[in-house]
Amino acid sequence: MSVHELRRKTGDASEKITINLGVVDLGQIDLLVQEGFYSNRTDLIRTAIRNQLAAHAEVVRETVTRKAFVLGLQDYSRSDLEALQAAGEALQIQVLGLARIADDVSPELARATIESVVVLGALHASAAVKAALADRIH
């Protein structure tokens, strides 16, 4: 299994989120955009989120260490899972970032080798694998 540090790159995959804001907050955001502080609403929101993440970076680092999370990108290939199955081992996936289970992993192989899944961020896997692991995803 390979671990890669996530870095922002042009064209890097991102996840879309939806937030609800009050009209006063939204108006203030629009005012700051109009005054040229930010290029658009998304720019302000991303900047605010990054500032909060930077302010809490130490807590994130301590928690990742304490809870034994993989930080960044974790790929699980069919061959990785087949090797675990051959060794009679089970996998506990704990990722802060992006966990990807390869498209060629069957639901049966996933159930046989993945004991639990905790992903803070995004889990990319086929719909069939996600359905097979539904009772193990926390």
Side-chain angles (χ1 to χ4, degrees):
M1 288 172 263
S2 60
V3 179
H4 305 281
E5 183 181 343
L6 285 181
R7 294 190 179 125
R8 282 185 208 96
K9 295 181 259 185
T10 305
D12 195 20
S14 62
E15 295 288 324
K16 183 173 281 208
I17 63 169
T18 302
I19 61 170
N20 295 319
L21 292 174
V23 293
V24 173
D25 292 338
L26 190 56
Q28 290 178 44
I29 290 170
D30 287 344
L31 177 70
L32 291 172
V33 170
Q34 185 180 26
E35 292 298 312
F37 287 94
Y38 299 93
S39 59
N40 53 44
R41 291 175 174 175
T42 301
D43 183 30
L44 180 144
I45 293 166
R46 278 192 193 125
T47 300
I49 290 170
R50 287 181 187 136
N51 288 343
Q52 286 300 304
L53 292 173
H56 299 287
E58 187 58 33
V59 171
V60 170
R61 273 191 291 278
E62 289 172 4
T63 303
V64 165
T65 300
R66 185 177 76 248
K67 293 190 176 188
F69 277 94
V70 171
L71 179 61
L73 169 62
Q74 180 73 54
D75 281 317
Y76 300 95
S77 69
R78 188 181 76 198
S79 62
D80 292 333
L81 298 183
E82 288 171 342
L84 284 170
Q85 188 175 39
E89 297 177 7
L91 182 62
Q92 295 178 347
I93 296 174
Q94 294 191 156
V95 174
L96 190 154
L98 174 61
R100 292 189 303 205
I101 300 173
D103 288 337
D104 62 350
V105 171
S106 70
E108 298 77 22
L109 179 59
R111 277 205 62 84
T113 57
I114 299 173
E115 186 175 291
S116 64
V117 180
V118 177
V119 177
L120 302 175
L123 171 63
H124 290 185
S126 70
V129 166
K130 285 183 178 180
L133 297 175
D135 63 328
R136 301 173 186 190
I137 298 174
H138 308 286

